[in-house]
Amino acid sequence: MAGDTIFARILRGEIPCDEIYSDDRCLAFRDIAPIAPVHLLIIPRKPLESLREADETDVDLLGHLLLVAAKVAKQEELDAWRTVINSGEGAGQTVFHLHLHVIGGRSLDWPPG
Ligand code: AMP
């Protein structure tokens, strides 16, 4: 259940985060275990477990999350970054509340592992 995750607890203010952006639809904060000099997470306030659970009613929300990813990347003065959404355990998802990673501040290899 997305309502029971650590990100749901952050949204409810039960545990702290290093917040960098907030609005009525999402919250962005620094990843606790960064894999690059800049590693940000953007999470919707709506408790979607992953992209798999999103549907047509989430079109505006998903577009908004992407625009916020660009906004916070620019706020961090990144001129290049990667936006990642892991969907499912096999793809590396460990927290089952939809989130976008924004990773930058170093050169990034492609393809990812
Ligand atoms: P994923 O592996 O795509 O599910 O990403 C989950 C991310 O959440 C990982 O990069 C973790 O380091 C990060 N994370 C887990 N707990 C916290 C927390 N309390 N505050 C900030 N980031 C967290």
Side-chain angles (χ1 to χ4, degrees):
M1 272 283 294
D4 296 331
T5 67
I6 192 144
F7 291 171
R9 296 187 64 200
I10 287 174
L11 283 169
R12 291 198 293 266
E14 292 169 7
I15 57 172
C17 71
D18 190 354
E19 179 180 320
I20 52 164
Y21 177 84
S22 175
D23 65 27
D24 59 334
R25 283 182 283 178
C26 69
L27 175 69
F29 51 92
R30 294 187 195 283
D31 196 293
I32 204 166
I35 62 164
V38 178
H39 187 171
L40 315 173
L41 298 171
I42 299 122
I43 65 175
R45 295 189 183 279
K46 180 176 178 178
L48 286 165
E49 285 184 30
S50 77
L51 207 47
R52 182 189 299 277
E53 282 68 41
D55 63 26
E56 286 298 321
T57 65
D58 299 310
V59 167
D60 283 353
L61 175 62
L62 295 174
H64 181 68
L65 296 174
L66 283 173
L67 289 177
V68 170
K71 183 194 286 277
V72 294
K74 287 184 258 183
Q75 195 174 293
E76 293 290 312
E77 302 183 341
L78 296 176
D79 53 12
W81 69 87
R82 186 167 294 162
T83 308
V84 174
I85 304 175
N86 294 324
S87 303
E89 261 181 43
Q93 186 175 6
T94 58
V95 179
F96 289 86
H97 182 121
L98 176 65
H99 52 281
L100 285 67
H101 296 256
V102 170
I103 299 160
R106 65 168 169 81
S107 65
L108 299 165
D109 293 335
W110 189 263

